[in-house]
Amino acid sequence: MDHFLKELHSGWAYLALLLLLVAVVNALIGLNSKKEFTAKDRKISLFALIGTHTQLLIGLVLYFVSPLGKAAFGQMSNAELRLTSLEHPLINIIAIILITIGWSKHKKLINSEAKFKTFAIFYGLGLLLILSRIPWNLWF
């Protein structure tokens, strides 16, 4: 089960990152082109939200089920273990909180420019945080 969850978490990460990147680029294009916020734009952002939340749930299950997660907990002197046991989960939870705030804030806005700006800022910050804490040496 541990191996399956690792593979699922790694594989789903590609999809979640792609959806998030598409949502950020879409928000930036919409903001710069002054276009109207449509249902298509909302769906792109919603799919990114769902993809990242699914990735978080898979990661949390993996963290608490994996024997490596339990063994690495509290190992702060080893940089690689610190990344996977503390920095990766904590920063990614913060990133997904920012993405969720962006989704929630857009629902209260009426102006298309404000909606695109909200998605560009919150989803963009979330994407940057996620990219900063991916354990690249374990991924490739």
Side-chain angles (χ1 to χ4, degrees):
M1 171 122 165
D2 179 47
H3 179 70
F4 171 74
L5 285 173
K6 283 181 194 174
E7 295 298 320
L8 181 62
H9 187 61
S10 291
W12 193 268
Y14 289 109
L15 178 63
L17 284 173
L18 179 65
L19 290 170
L20 192 53
L21 181 64
V22 168
V24 170
V25 169
N26 182 63
L28 291 172
I29 290 171
L31 186 62
N32 290 331
S33 67
K34 308 281 189 216
K35 73 175 197 159
E36 195 66 30
F37 189 84
T38 63
K40 178 189 76 103
D41 301 312
R42 186 186 67 77
K43 287 177 186 174
I44 289 171
S45 300
L46 178 62
F47 289 147
L49 177 81
I50 292 169
T52 55
H53 277 83
T54 303
Q55 179 69 353
L56 173 66
L57 290 175
I58 296 167
L60 287 174
V61 169
L62 177 63
Y63 187 78
F64 290 110
V65 169
S66 171
L68 178 62
K70 293 174 188 168
F73 195 72
Q75 300 283 334
M76 298 301 114
S77 60
N78 183 327
E80 189 173 308
L81 288 177
R82 184 178 61 242
L83 174 64
T84 56
S85 69
L86 176 68
E87 295 171 2
H88 177 74
L90 180 64
I91 297 300
N92 287 336
I93 288 170
I94 293 168
I96 293 173
I97 288 170
L98 286 171
I99 292 166
T100 306
I101 290 171
W103 175 259
S104 296
K105 287 179 76 69
H106 107 276
K107 294 190 283 187
K108 298 177 183 121
L109 300 171
I110 298 169
N111 184 342
S112 291
E113 183 179 353
K115 288 184 180 205
F116 283 125
K117 186 175 183 181
T118 298
F119 281 127
I121 292 170
F122 285 96
Y123 279 45
L125 286 173
L127 178 61
L128 287 175
L129 286 175
I130 289 170
L131 289 174
S132 76
R133 290 298 136 210
I134 290 177
W136 296 105
N137 59 335
L138 297 176
W139 215 13
F140 292 108

